[in-house]
Amino acid sequence: MDVNDRIRQQLDEHSVLLYMKGTPDFPQCGFSGQTVAALKAVGKPFAYVNIFEDPEVREGLKAYSNWPTFPQLYVNGELVGGCDIVVEMYHSGELQELLAPVEHPA
Amino acid sequence: MSESRESKIRARLEARFTPVELQIRDQSHMHAGHAGAADGRGHFAVTIVSSEFAGTNRVQRHQMVYDALRALLESDIHALRIKALTPDER
């Protein structure tokens, strides 16, 4: 399976997926940490991939999404954005709205 | 003295977007010492106002800015905060 197939599989399996540096409990970058904080504040379940543990996905995702930095949040397979966008959407209420239909464990 | 990273970023954004407003802040000092700063690339925050962003969504705007700075992302920029607006949204 090539890296694009692996990314597609991950996105298929998790309706809310955060590609981040570190883990939600131990983010290894301030931007990843702020994005986790926004998601936790919304309170819906989300899955994550620690890109430090998967260098192939780390590189592959930059090309897949035409987005060169992390974190990257995906909902239903679509790129929502990085830290700036997610935090902005949290403050405007759009993130809560976007995640409202998410019920089952991500 | 070599061209500063900030002026390299400015030159590329001005060429691509002819912005009516452009602010670039070097925030590298706020991150000195953390792992991402170890390779010497910097943290920057960009506020850019341009009619080029009309009709695009937030993700597309960030992608447009990243595209314009692609080469610098390899050499000079570790992290970039982006606020991209059209003149009407200011």
Side-chain angles (χ1 to χ4, degrees):
Chain A
M1 196 172 355
D2 82 1
V3 65
N4 284 321
D5 291 331
R6 288 182 55 219
I7 291 168
R8 271 189 286 270
Q9 188 180 43
Q10 290 171 343
L11 293 172
D12 274 351
E13 284 172 1
H14 305 287
S15 54
V16 184
L17 180 56
L18 181 67
Y19 289 93
M20 65 177 291
K21 295 180 172 176
T23 68
D25 288 335
F26 295 99
Q28 291 181 47
C29 165
F31 299 110
S32 287
Q34 288 173 38
T35 306
V36 165
L39 285 170
K40 283 186 173 171
V42 174
K44 297 286 186 173
F46 64 94
Y48 74 93
V49 171
N50 178 358
I51 54 149
F52 287 141
E53 290 178 352
D54 198 334
E56 191 189 49
V57 163
R58 179 182 187 172
E59 282 312 307
L61 198 62
K62 293 181 183 181
Y64 179 87
S65 58
N66 190 26
W67 192 277
T69 61
F70 293 95
Q72 296 184 18
L73 177 67
Y74 290 79
V75 174
N76 298 323
E78 259 188 57
L79 176 62
V80 174
C83 175
D84 290 345
I85 290 179
V86 172
V87 169
E88 187 186 317
M89 288 177 73
Y90 172 71
H91 288 300
S92 70
E94 287 168 272
L95 188 64
Q96 293 83 328
E97 221 169 274
L98 179 69
L99 298 179
V102 177
E103 293 296 346
H104 51 86
Chain B
M1 198 178 129
S2 67
E3 193 188 8
S4 81
R5 295 189 294 200
E6 202 175 308
S7 56
K8 286 193 222 174
I9 294 169
R10 178 173 296 280
R12 280 161 183 77
L13 293 177
E14 282 177 347
R16 169 65 181 82
F17 297 105
T18 47
V20 295
E21 186 185 326
L22 176 60
Q23 285 175 29
I24 300 166
R25 292 175 303 287
D26 187 340
Q27 301 182 328
S28 304
H29 61 281
M30 290 163 60
H31 306 274
H34 103 98
D39 66 4
R41 292 179 301 154
H43 288 62
F44 297 89
V46 167
T47 301
I48 182 167
V49 181
S50 166
S51 52
E52 294 281 317
F53 297 122
T56 63
N57 66 29
R58 271 183 297 229
V59 167
Q60 289 166 333
R61 290 176 188 193
H62 278 59
Q63 286 169 330
M64 288 163 75
V65 172
Y66 285 136
D67 271 340
L69 300 176
R70 188 166 297 276
L72 296 179
L73 283 159
E74 304 287 329
S75 55
D76 294 274
I77 302 171
H78 169 71
L80 189 63
R81 307 206 77 134
I82 300 170
K83 192 169 181 188
L85 303 170
T86 65
D88 289 344
E89 292 165 350
R90 247 189 315 184

